[in-house]
Amino acid sequence: MNVLAKPADLADAAPAGVFVEEVKTVQHYTDRLFRFRMTRPSSFRFRSGEFVMIGLMIDGKPLYRAYSIASPAWDEELEFFSIKVPDGPLTSHLQKIQPGDAVLMKKKPTGTLVNDALVPGKRVYMFSTGTGIAPFASLIRDPDTYEKFDQVILTHTCREVAELKYGEDLVQETLNDPLIGEFAKDKLIHYTSVTREDFPRKGRITDLIQSGKLFADLGVPPLDPAIDRGMICGSMDMLRDTKALLEEAGLTEGANNKPAEFVVERAFVG
Ligand code: A2P
């Protein structure tokens, strides 16, 4: 079944009130991960770190999943980082998109992984596993993040070494960017680990926090609610376990209407 269409083909078929955007570039990293960039409607506004529903027409019906927007709020295109699930209702099709194909996007972005949901602090930890790095790909390219914090620590843990590539390229591009590089160069730290292959740093982020290795490697004191802030994005289990460690350290969970010391978001797409 071929569910991919061009934007012009969907002009009449797409549901009312939904954007029909055009894929610009697609990059595959592993057999489980890819990213794509697409056009951004001029009326579409969002805050860096938010997610939106994106989808395809499948059997004449739209099917959507929540995706964090990986590009920053100032970017003229929209970027997404996705898992490929062989029999996933959406990603089994989405992984085949090519430049020129159409992607549906609902109009309302939302989410709690935004700078506004954190009270001011000195250092922000962005804890991610797998595709959970996506909202942080947006936030580390936003000057507001560097205005708010002196240190921005992006942790990314994956099963395999090859799955770190998106984040490695992202951080290099961010540091080399003529605009954001100036903000990021003295503040952004990328901390990677791998759990199922040989790598210089092995282990789940939760274990690295608990053992104190994360802080020793970074040369910073353990988590302190007076100065440290956290954002967490990964699987349900990772969210639960990382949140418990931040709470143990005395940080409290915040939301858009009640900023506090850390925020949590689900990143899972099937
Ligand atoms: P592990 O290989 O030990 O399961 P996934 O692709 O399943 O979401 O996993 C992405 C990364 O998140 C893997 O390195 C995985 O480690 C790690 N992970 C899975 N569950 C947890 C958890 N409860 N806490 C912290 N890290 C986790």
Side-chain angles (χ1 to χ4, degrees):
M1 179 181 49
N2 180 17
V3 302
L4 300 178
K6 304 292 172 205
D9 303 337
L10 290 187
D12 298 327
V18 168
F19 293 119
V20 179
E21 296 309 308
E22 183 180 315
V23 176
K24 303 305 279 182
T25 56
V26 184
Q27 188 174 357
H28 292 267
Y29 291 93
T30 67
D31 56 3
R32 295 208 313 141
L33 296 172
F34 74 109
R35 80 158 182 170
F36 64 95
R37 292 178 67 89
M38 67 183 202
T39 51
R40 173 178 178 172
S42 52
S43 63
F44 180 70
R45 295 273 170 275
F46 68 101
R47 292 180 298 170
S48 296
E50 286 189 313
F51 68 84
V52 72
M53 305 300 289
I54 64 170
L56 296 172
M57 293 294 288
I58 297 173
D59 292 335
K61 284 192 297 221
L63 179 70
Y64 301 97
R65 288 289 182 268
Y67 271 84
S68 290
I69 303 167
S71 45
W74 52 263
D75 199 330
E76 63 189 26
E77 288 181 349
L78 295 172
E79 180 177 317
F80 299 95
F81 185 45
S82 179
I83 194 139
K84 306 179 206 176
V85 181
D87 52 2
L90 180 66
T91 66
S92 60
H93 301 291
L94 194 65
Q95 64 179 280
K96 297 187 190 128
I97 54 170
Q98 302 280 345
D101 288 339
V103 171
L104 305 177
M105 183 173 77
K106 290 199 187 176
K107 295 199 167 172
K108 203 174 151 15
T110 183
T112 53
L113 294 186
V114 292
N115 281 320
D116 290 348
L118 293 177
V119 289
K122 178 168 182 277
R123 183 180 298 123
V124 63
Y125 287 92
M126 299 175 174
F127 296 109
S128 70
T129 53
T131 54
I133 194 174
F136 305 136
S138 175
L139 283 161
I140 67 163
R141 291 185 275 186
D142 190 323
D144 284 354
T145 304
Y146 302 101
E147 268 155 32
K148 187 154 182 172
F149 299 103
D150 295 340
Q151 231 179 5
V152 176
I153 298 163
L154 170 63
T155 84
H156 192 205
T157 303
C158 293
R159 297 180 188 186
E160 297 168 12
V161 179
E163 294 173 338
L164 296 175
K165 172 95 172 120
Y166 172 79
E168 285 165 351
D169 290 354
L170 164 78
V171 168
Q172 272 319 307
E173 280 165 27
T174 303
L175 293 172
N176 293 334
D177 185 276
L179 169 70
I180 301 301
E182 277 305 302
F183 294 95
K185 70 176 181 342
D186 298 324
K187 297 191 170 183
L188 177 62
I189 297 171
H190 186 207
Y191 186 91
T192 52
S193 70
V194 168
T195 50
R196 302 194 190 183
E197 274 186 347
D198 272 346
F199 191 67
R201 194 180 296 122
K202 289 204 65 174
R204 289 184 172 192
I205 192 64
T206 41
D207 294 336
L208 296 165
I209 294 173
Q210 255 176 325
S211 68
K213 181 165 168 47
L214 169 68
F215 312 108
D217 287 347
L218 295 171
V220 300
L223 290 172
D224 174 353
I227 54 171
D228 290 322
R229 305 291 168 253
M231 292 178 149
I232 318 174
C233 196
S235 66
M236 291 298 281
D237 288 352
M238 178 275 190
L239 297 183
R240 183 199 59 220
D241 294 351
T242 312
K243 176 180 146 118
L245 292 174
L246 298 197
E247 286 175 338
E248 212 171 278
L251 283 75
T252 52
E253 183 171 357
N256 276 292
N257 58 1
K258 192 176 148 292
E261 284 108 29
F262 77 92
V263 280
V264 174
E265 194 112 272
R266 289 197 305 122
F268 254 34
V269 177

